[in-house]
Amino acid sequence: MHKLLNPKSIAFFGASNSFFTMGTTMALNIKKSGIKLYPVHPREEKVIGLKAYKSVEDLPEVPDLAIFVIPARAVLEEMEKCGEFGINRAIVVSGGFSEIGEEGETFEKELVSVANKHKIRFLGPNTLGIYNAHNNLNTMWFPFPPEKGGISLIAQSGTIANHTFPMLRRLGYKFSKIISIGNEADIDIVDCLEYLMADLNTKSIAMYIEGVRRFKEFMNVAGEATKVKPVVALYAGGTEAGARACKSHTAAITGKDEIYDGMFKQCGILRAKTIDELFDWAFALSVQPTLKGKKIGILTDSGGSGACMADCCERIGLEIPLLSPEVQNELRKHASKVGFTKNPVDLTFDLDPSKFYEKIPKILLKNVDGLLCYGIFGSKFFEEIKKFASSDVNVPVDEIKGATYKFIEKLPKISTEYNKPIIGVSFVGREDDAVAFLQDHGIPVYPTPERAAGAMKALYVYSILKDQQMRKQTRELKRKREDKKKITTLMENESKELLEEYGIKTAKCYVAATKREAVELAKEIGFPVVLKILSPDVVHKSDIGGVKLNLRNESEVERAYEEIIANAKKVTDKITGVTVQKMLDGGIELAVGVIKELNCGHVITFGLGGVFVEVLKDVSYRVIPIHEVDAESMIEEIRGYRILAGHRGMKADIDSLKSLLIRVSDLIEDHPEISELDLNPVFANPDGCVVVDARIFVS
Amino acid sequence: MHKLLNPKSIAFFGASNSFFTMGTTMALNIKKSGIKLYPVHPREEKVIGLKAYKSVEDLPEVPDLAIFVIPARAVLEEMEKCGEFGINRAIVVSGGFSEIGEEGETFEKELVSVANKHKIRFLGPNTLGIYNAHNNLNTMWFPFPPEKGGISLIAQSGTIANHTFPMLRRLGYKFSKIISIGNEADIDIVDCLEYLMADLNTKSIAMYIEGVRRFKEFMNVAGEATKVKPVVALYAGGTEAGARACKSHTAAITGKDEIYDGMFKQCGILRAKTIDELFDWAFALSVQPTLKGKKIGILTDSGGSGACMADCCERIGLEIPLLSPEVQNELRKHASKVGFTKNPVDLTFDLDPSKFYEKIPKILLKNVDGLLCYGIFGSKFFEEIKKFASSDVNVPVDEIKGATYKFIEKLPKISTEYNKPIIGVSFVGREDDAVAFLQDHGIPVYPTPERAAGAMKALYVYSILKDQQMRKQTRELKRKREDKKKITTLMENESKELLEEYGIKTAKCYVAATKREAVELAKEIGFPVVLKILSPDVVHKSDIGGVKLNLRNESEVERAYEEIIANAKKVTDKITGVTVQKMLDGGIELAVGVIKELNCGHVITFGLGGVFVEVLKDVSYRVIPIHEVDAESMIEEIRGYRILAGHRGMKADIDSLKSLLIRVSDLIEDHPEISELDLNPVFANPDGCVVVDARIFVS
């Protein structure tokens, strides 16, 4: 990766003297960087003002990198020659490979085999290449990349990597490296993430993802990366329409939204839902310290913006604490007569920049964890007025500039001094010098209150996620590593036996093949009991009338047996009998499941049980294996967590739930042949939890 | 309002020749409009180049409007003089009134009384005034308002009304009128809404709300307004921190978020959650037809943007239908070799603008309800390249411009022709001529795929809301209008009797004062029965062990009676006895409630019952009285609606639920003395619904 991002010289295939090819524009952008560029062209003497070479063999040196913007078939030929000539890094911009279907897939395989033969590492095909702010190299189509800074972007889309340049410049976001990874025939997202994780210039990593092929490797690398720097991801492949679009675009192997969502949490990755969030958050995370608590101070010169920020913060889970009378007194020394000090602190119309940029922020940061500021005005406003009003009144732009500059530089220093984040908001953009100054000195300034609040929240979320990742480091996974005998699909009683082997408590059930046996077992276990159909053909037992609860005496058991068997006979002949188990008193109904997903592997799910919650889809997902921290967070993230933590006399033993999830994870690791596991319901109460019904399938 | 927005001449108090006052800047902005301006200043001969007058009496004519930017106390004096002079419209910019507390409230009352005396209608205090694009009058602080167009904004914040100017210009959003309403001592949000509803230049209305004082009047006017034009609102007063900020800002009377949320739906108002949404949606709604179905076509020249749009659309409830083979064949005639036609339709790199702006949109709009387009590039990109590459290669900017212009004007026409919305996306802003052209010709172009998708959704939501409002028009509310005898707080049995009077089915309960009576009643009703404590002191009966369910025989009833009475005695002496009612077989548990909120009046709530849903807060709110349409939408909007509509053998009779809600609304209208009503649980099944437990309080 390093050589690819820092070539001393580049051979370029596909530039011409016609402006109407993508290759020409890309070559122009590269030429601008000052890096030695050798256009290869079959006919021209000169291309974009540079000496052109008929073939790669004619070049005066072996370049560090070859870039191809020629038809797919031609890439194969030229790549071969490059390899023979000794080039071992390439960027294949050309489309027409696996993203277009079968024919393209063949080309892509050939491409890989040529590359392997010559030990060429390459990016693409179907990529726009790279931007490296440190050597000013931009191989992409749009010129004028964002300024140099701390964000690095990995994108499974050239558009997100490149078309966004004007937007990113306008917003003042600063980048280290941008990598468009295309079809990932060779270098993939995992390689890039691994590289950027160790890259000192990269302070935060943003990713646009349509699907991860090396899923487990990605999780491993991401889990390590987030321990050292923040990672934000936007995932577009989770919906049906998104998946269709991604498939046609980069032939991505997409996966269900909930699984990626759980996977991101598990790896400590912040998940952005929009392009705005992706870059907003990555920028704040690249320049500001994390937010260690939820208490936010708001400083504003306007009530409306203060209200929007306060409202939005509370809505997204941050706190706007009422400031103590002492703090308010201190503030009142500075706030003007019509100002407010409770938090938001509203200076109203006040032209003394020392208050806004120094005095008030200092007082506030002593008492809160982070600061949001609205009211950043430099001289843009005054220059605009001057345009039409200078004949009417003296508009002292320079005087105002001077006063602002005396104090504005204090704000970034205060953030550093207190090691607490400060984030600004302004409806004026970088055309205003104060906005530009702050953005250029590490204080992000966002275009709306809500985006600023969102970025502040991201600084908090990362501090939590990082902490979780660090806690994983210190715990050894206790996995049973001996080779286990493979199981086949299990009946309910066998499933429960297997669970018990792993220390999971179940409501034991006993098999009765006849009515007589059922009654005897019920008497032995003690009334009331539950009878359930036992048949390899019946999966959803209650749907066919195969479950009878709360049977209190012999005759109820007899009648239940008859009904169950009669019901079952309507749908199948294969009836083993019934199971008899103790009727449990209940507790909170939960459901734990495992599914096996193409490319992602086994995924564990956790949620409240019962029909309501099934509809409400209040379920958390993680990829197996899980750590204790993962179990904890997947329990805490469901909306119904408040019930588990204790509500109206209901309460669960959270530790036993964590342990249940981890044991299920262990079981699946030992038995990867399991394709589906369904524990539903699990009853939880303050003393522990017990699996009432269990199904295990092997594919 | 008309005169206030269209004055022929203005008296201005508070402008000087010093640039460092807000008044001076505002006066400069007014002068720019060319409207006759009379600065009133006690000492100066000239102010901002205009003849100044010592006092309002000295003016050569009676101006249509007076604007005050002087201290609160001075406003009172000058307003008096203005009134005597015959001025009857005013804008009071000055702060220091009710928003600062007691002293200010006194000033504000005096201000109102002076105004009333002279029949002056005024805006403010604590406002920045107005912007009217049609006479170019901008009384606010920021110069350079957004361009003339169809959005009108009412804002309870000068910042949102005015500081946003640079952002709104940058985004290309176009406005008719902007009104900053400040403390609303006289003209308020209801007046403004009423005016804009009838204003022909206003195509959509945006509102920034911190709290509505005349709540019922607002609902009436808004309910009418949304029948004729779309209204979008951002509400900042719903959280605790938001309310605190609003209170200090405009002394707003805020209300719970859920109530405003329900109220907005009830009036047909779209609720925006961010400033971006407020303006994004209002712009699309002001220039584009509504979206009549959910099917969206996506046209893109880039896979990544297409994927983001597709993913986002599905996430927010729009559909990206797979196009039929026939349509795909038709498209394939135009799409280049590496393009895709399934939807998203991806042209990839293609420099022929006739496809993008005409051919493909026409085919798509025949088959979908609305179109999202990514790939709007004019000549900005080429101009940028030309800057540094013109010596290397010929960059034919004019040629490209010509080709684009030939076709770009087709796009707005196609939208008009099909009466279906088209919305664009571009990471380049208005600095690009194609983006600016489309924005100026009625095709909104948003900076990110998600914002474009969000605006498209808004066009759909408004079509639904408008339809609901229109349906209200055709139905008469059937209210019992006779004067009802006032009730006092009711015991459970009395509550149920009252409900039955309104045709609401209840599980009738009978009062037993002794154990004997309880047993006799149980026998009469038939086992199993339920016993519940009856005591004016006990509100949450089950919390104190005051409810016993499923009692199957005499001895169970006796034991239950004893336990209930014993439990109740621990908390109160006032025990009337117990109620006995039939144990119902269940059904879906629901809860219907009424609360009385300061300023908002009675609010009805609906949700699934039971402890889980209490925690999950799956509840809808509406303000009483409700129409049938409201009842319908409040049932449909809860997340658990799928259960009611039919899920796993559960199902409710939706009509009987609607009728229940409407009858409760009727009951409350007849008995406004009721402060709280709680029907929980209500059991619903396919045959109807029945109130199992009921509590009614009178304050």
Side-chain angles (χ1 to χ4, degrees), chain A residues 25 31 144 159 163 239 241 244 248 275 302 311 314-315 320 340 343 374 384-385 392 612 614 643, chain B residues 25 31 144 159 163 239 241 244 248 257 302 311 314 320 340 343 374 384-385 392 450 612 614 643 647:
Chain A
T25 313
K31 188 185 173 197
F144 299 107
T159 305
H163 290 199
T239 59
R244 188 195 314 145
S248 72
I275 291 177
S302 131
D311 185 56
E314 197 169 312
R315 214 176 275 283
I320 311 296
F340 301 89
N343 195 21
Y374 176 86
E384 288 210 347
I385 303 244
D392 296 334
F612 290 168
E614 185 177 303
I643 298 171
Chain B
T25 313
K31 188 184 170 195
F144 298 107
T159 305
H163 290 200
T239 60
R244 190 195 311 144
S248 72
D257 204 69
S302 133
D311 185 56
E314 196 169 314
I320 311 296
F340 300 90
N343 195 18
Y374 177 85
E384 289 210 346
I385 304 240
D392 296 336
E450 297 89 357
F612 290 167
E614 186 177 303
I643 299 172
H647 177 79

Side-chain angles (χ1 to χ4, degrees), chain B residues 269-345:
Chain B
I269 295 174
L270 284 88
R271 182 175 185 188
K273 287 285 170 70
T274 64
I275 290 177
D276 280 342
E277 287 181 352
L278 178 68
F279 292 120
D280 286 358
W281 299 359
F283 183 48
L285 288 160
S286 75
V287 292
Q288 282 285 304
T290 58
L291 180 67
K292 280 93 183 173
K294 287 183 176 183
K295 292 193 177 60
I296 305 299
I298 292 178
L299 169 59
T300 179
D301 67 2
S302 133
S305 289
C308 283
M309 284 195 281
D311 185 56
C312 180
C313 280
E314 196 169 314
R315 214 177 276 285
I316 62 178
L318 297 174
E319 290 161 15
I320 311 296
L322 191 64
L323 295 170
S324 71
E326 295 74 39
V327 178
Q328 289 195 50
N329 276 337
E330 212 185 330
L331 288 168
R332 217 164 280 132
K333 290 179 206 154
H334 305 295
S336 67
K337 203 191 154 205
V338 280
F340 300 90
T341 52
K342 287 183 180 170
N343 195 18
V345 175

Side-chain angles (χ1 to χ4, degrees), chain A residues 418-480:
Chain A
Y418 288 86
N419 193 28
K420 291 178 178 179
I422 298 181
I423 285 179
V425 186
S426 171
F427 294 116
V428 192
R430 278 177 73 77
E431 62 273 22
D432 182 77
D433 51 354
V435 171
F437 180 91
L438 289 177
Q439 287 180 334
D440 296 345
H441 289 80
I443 304 284
V445 181
Y446 294 100
T448 64
E450 297 90 358
R451 288 174 69 172
M456 186 61 93
K457 175 76 187 289
L459 296 174
Y460 179 72
V461 173
Y462 178 59
S463 78
I464 301 291
L465 289 172
K466 184 178 176 179
D467 177 61
Q468 287 180 357
Q469 293 305 109
M470 297 311 280
R471 278 159 63 203
K472 284 187 190 177
Q473 202 168 34
T474 60
R475 261 176 230 268
E476 268 297 295
L477 283 180
K478 297 177 201 85
R479 305 281 174 220
K480 304 199 179 71

